Amino acid sequence: MRIRTGDDYAYRRDAIERAADFYDCNMTKAVVSVCDDIPKLVQAVREVLERDDLTLEQRREIAETLSTRAVSFDVDTSVTVERKGDE
């Protein structure tokens, strides 16, 4: 697999190099590691945001803190009203 990193795509090389530095490995392993880790991290964030012991404000702060350029989390509340049939 090739990833374009020239000209308009130089930011990709920077991102991959940051990941390689973070994981302390070569760029190929860094890309694979990120691909393995991100879905797990996103699922963990979802689980945290669904906890009953957090206030709505805490959930929103966590969502804002953990959102990135590529992944954003949003917390909404919903109210459902069910109407019983006419009796």
Side-chain angles (χ1 to χ4, degrees):
M1 172 184 307
R2 292 178 188 248
I3 299 174
R4 291 183 184 175
T5 58
D7 300 328
D8 293 340
Y9 301 105
Y11 70 94
R12 292 177 178 175
R13 176 171 282 282
D14 294 339
I16 294 168
E17 287 175 349
R18 283 193 308 273
D21 288 344
F22 175 81
Y23 285 105
D24 192 26
C25 63
N26 65 44
M27 291 192 295
T28 300
K29 182 163 175 44
V31 170
V32 172
S33 296
V34 169
C35 291
D36 286 341
D37 288 351
I38 292 302
K40 293 174 187 173
L41 289 170
V42 168
Q43 182 57 39
V45 171
R46 284 182 179 148
E47 290 173 12
V48 167
L49 294 175
E50 291 173 356
R51 287 176 34 181
D52 292 335
D53 61 331
L54 297 173
T55 66
L56 179 59
E57 182 178 346
Q58 289 171 322
R59 290 177 190 172
R60 287 184 173 154
E61 288 174 2
I62 292 167
E64 182 179 338
T65 299
L66 297 177
S67 291
T68 66
R69 180 183 60 82
V71 178
S72 65
F73 299 94
D74 190 25
V75 177
D76 290 320
T77 60
S78 62
V79 176
T80 303
V81 177
E82 292 184 29
R83 194 173 85 180
K84 294 182 179 180
D86 294 333
E87 297 179 1

